[in-house]
Amino acid sequence: MHNEVLPGPSEDEPPQGEMEHLIVSVWADVLKAEVSSRYDDFFLLGGSSMSAIHVSAELTERLGFTVPPRTVYEYTELADLAQRLTRLRANAGSVA
């Protein structure tokens, strides 16, 4: 049996999938910052409480369901926010 350690996620891993790319677009527009990794953090890129409200509003408009500002505060890493929004979108679709 091999005791090899698998490499962890690379901090330089680019965004993946439709949802992550959508968030990249919104963050770049609101923060005027380059988002290059799926592990980038909203607040470390210069996000604030006011910009989180703007991101929330823009995501709500683009996705067609409510994205509360609290979601942006709680899921500050791009990949985590994308995963959460994907779940919210699935739930929003099943409620209709």
Side-chain angles (χ1 to χ4, degrees), residues 6-79:
L6 296 175
S10 168
E11 295 297 317
D12 294 329
E13 193 173 333
Q16 301 173 3
E18 175 189 353
M19 187 65 77
E20 287 187 20
H21 286 286
L22 173 68
I23 297 167
V24 166
S25 174
V26 171
W27 283 9
D29 288 347
V30 172
L31 300 177
K32 308 295 185 225
E34 182 179 335
V35 183
S36 58
S37 168
R38 62 192 313 250
Y39 301 106
D40 280 345
D41 183 279
F42 176 75
F43 291 106
L44 294 179
L45 289 171
S48 65
S49 58
M50 283 302 280
S51 57
I53 292 168
H54 291 290
V55 165
S56 169
E58 186 65 29
L59 288 171
T60 294
E61 182 177 321
R62 292 191 190 188
L63 292 170
F65 62 87
T66 301
V67 178
R70 180 177 179 156
T71 301
V72 178
Y73 295 129
E74 290 179 358
Y75 300 89
T76 62
E77 197 171 272
L78 175 66

